[in-house]
Amino acid sequence: MSEGPRVLVGAVGLAGHALPAIALARALGDRGAGVVVATSERWRPLLAELGLGAAPRSDYFAVPGDEQHPGKDAALAASVRGLLPMLREAKPDVVVSDGLTAAPALAAEIARVPCATLFPEVYPVHGSRLPPFASGLYPPRTPVGAAAWSAGQRLRRLLPAPRVQRRAFNREREELGLEPEPGFHGTLSDDLTLVATFPQLEYPRRWPGHVHVTGPMMLDPSDVEVELPGGDEPLVVVASSTVKDVERRLVRATLEALADEPVRVLVTMGGAGELNGPVPANAVVADWVSYGRVMPLASAVVCNGNHGTVAWALAHGAPVLVSPAMADDAEHGARVGWSGAGLMVPGWLLRPGPVRLAMRQLLDDPAFRVRAREIAAWSSANDGAARGAELVEGFAR
């Protein structure tokens, strides 16, 4: 019988959200907590392998205000009702809810269980004098720029989309018998929010007392060996998003860009199968790779900006080239560029020429490698999942 707190961790099934949640759950279990994880059936074998409790099937986790999101398979209210019986049976001391779905948080609110949020990306709340989130823009360098960003944020509040999303979210809350939520970030806890990213990727701001940047929470679900391209040239790892770049534009552009460059290229398809198209002699395409095996060997990493891939690369000192497929990717690309650990090629410039030039700069300028290694050194000394578990344990008590 566990002597620690009882914790329910809930996350959507997307790898970039489920794996950090499972990493946190494992760290909580290591500290003696009794942990149950509610996520996609896809991760049940991994939970069993790690000795973690798995909740009944919960693929229906919903994302508030976004009917088209890949994590949304049912209405939010229905997701909450599906979780409530399990929540009442498990009687957790605290719930940790993934920031992409409000279902665990709302179920905890109804059951009167304290709730924390795990957000496995950069902090999404706009800060004073900072550019709009997901704009892919850098912080201002002058007072005039700061004033412009502040004015832009005031104008953004007048746009219809955020208000429509908030109204949709509050309709779901009303259906569940809860009071409306006045803010734009109803999925983030006001008591404890864990931001699982590198502090080096966060713009300077005044941090609320309940928000903690823990460092990434990383878990490699596979230890698959992969055959690397032959030779001793620098290794470039390419990982496009299986959800946001279904046409593999990033992979195709990068393979063509680097075909005649003095590098080796390893492409991971992320479990999406084979690549239809030519593969140059200096490249290998694998269906799946273990980041834990290949990232320590990488001289550079090319990706759409998925936070998990960025975190694995920087944790092993590899500079990153980001070409965003969606707005949140652009935010991560901007943070990488601002930190000095990489570059961003905007999606509208995603062609072999710009990718080739950016990769040459990334490999030729040692400043990128130096900065990436500084972040890697911080990562080696700071375990994000362990820090998150410590904060959740304190919150539960």
Side-chain angles (χ1 to χ4, degrees), residues 2 28 69 82 95 104 112 139 157 163 173 199 208 210 212 219 222 254 269 275 282 287 308 311 340 360 378 386 389:
S2 170
L28 282 163
H69 196 284
V95 168
R112 300 183 182 277
R157 294 192 183 101
R163 296 200 301 272
R173 288 182 60 88
H210 68 282
H212 300 264
L219 179 65
S222 168
T254 304
M269 297 295 289
L275 176 69
N282 66 339
D287 182 46
R360 288 176 180 174
W378 185 94

Side-chain angles (χ1 to χ4, degrees), residues 99-365:
L100 195 59
T101 175
L106 292 178
E109 186 176 349
I110 293 171
R112 300 183 182 277
V113 177
C115 184
T117 300
L118 169 60
F119 201 82
E121 300 182 13
V122 295
Y123 192 49
V125 179
H126 180 79
S128 175
R129 303 165 68 88
L130 293 179
F133 186 80
S135 65
L137 299 172
Y138 287 9
R141 298 179 181 178
T142 66
V144 174
W149 289 147
S150 297
Q153 179 62 11
R154 288 193 294 271
L155 290 174
R156 182 178 180 274
R157 294 192 183 101
L158 302 177
L159 296 176
R163 296 200 301 272
V164 169
Q165 291 180 337
R166 182 174 58 182
R167 284 198 296 268
F169 183 41
N170 281 331
R171 282 196 297 270
E172 301 274 15
R173 288 182 60 88
E174 183 179 1
E175 185 178 341
L176 292 164
L178 298 172
E179 293 295 320
E181 169 63 48
F184 287 96
H185 298 280
T187 59
L188 298 181
S189 171
D190 292 329
D191 297 314
L192 176 62
T193 291
L194 309 175
V195 182
T197 191
F198 291 116
Q200 294 86 348
L201 298 183
E202 287 290 353
Y203 295 149
R205 65 160 74 222
R206 293 182 179 178
W207 287 95
H210 68 282
V211 178
H212 300 264
V213 180
T214 62
M217 302 184 187
M218 297 185 294
L219 179 65
D220 190 353
S222 168
D223 195 30
V224 175
E225 290 191 38
V226 62
E227 182 179 354
L228 299 177
D232 56 4
E233 295 85 0
L235 178 67
V236 177
V237 175
V238 183
S240 68
S241 170
T242 57
V243 174
K244 304 171 187 176
D245 185 17
V246 294
E247 295 181 356
R248 301 299 187 186
R249 291 182 61 236
L250 180 69
V251 169
R252 298 180 196 281
T254 304
L255 285 176
E256 184 176 345
L258 303 183
D260 297 320
E261 296 293 292
V263 297
R264 296 173 295 151
V265 182
L266 173 63
V267 174
T268 172
M269 297 295 289
E274 298 181 358
L275 176 69
N276 294 322
V279 178
N282 66 339
V284 167
V285 177
D287 182 46
W288 189 276
V289 304
S290 163
Y291 276 178
R293 283 180 177 268
V294 303
M295 289 300 184
L297 306 176
S299 296
V301 174
V302 182
C303 66
N304 288 121
N306 284 9
H307 184 268
T309 302
V310 170
W312 273 97
L314 295 180
H316 290 89
V320 185
L321 176 60
V322 174
S323 185
M326 292 182 69
D328 59 331
D329 299 330
E331 187 67 32
H332 295 140
R335 303 301 181 94
V336 166
W338 171 81
S339 74
L343 295 169
M344 178 167 63
V345 174
W348 59 274
L349 275 178
L350 181 55
R351 297 188 298 275
V355 171
R356 185 181 305 113
L357 291 174
M359 183 54 64
R360 288 176 180 174
Q361 182 181 355
L362 205 62
L363 293 175
D364 291 346
D365 188 343

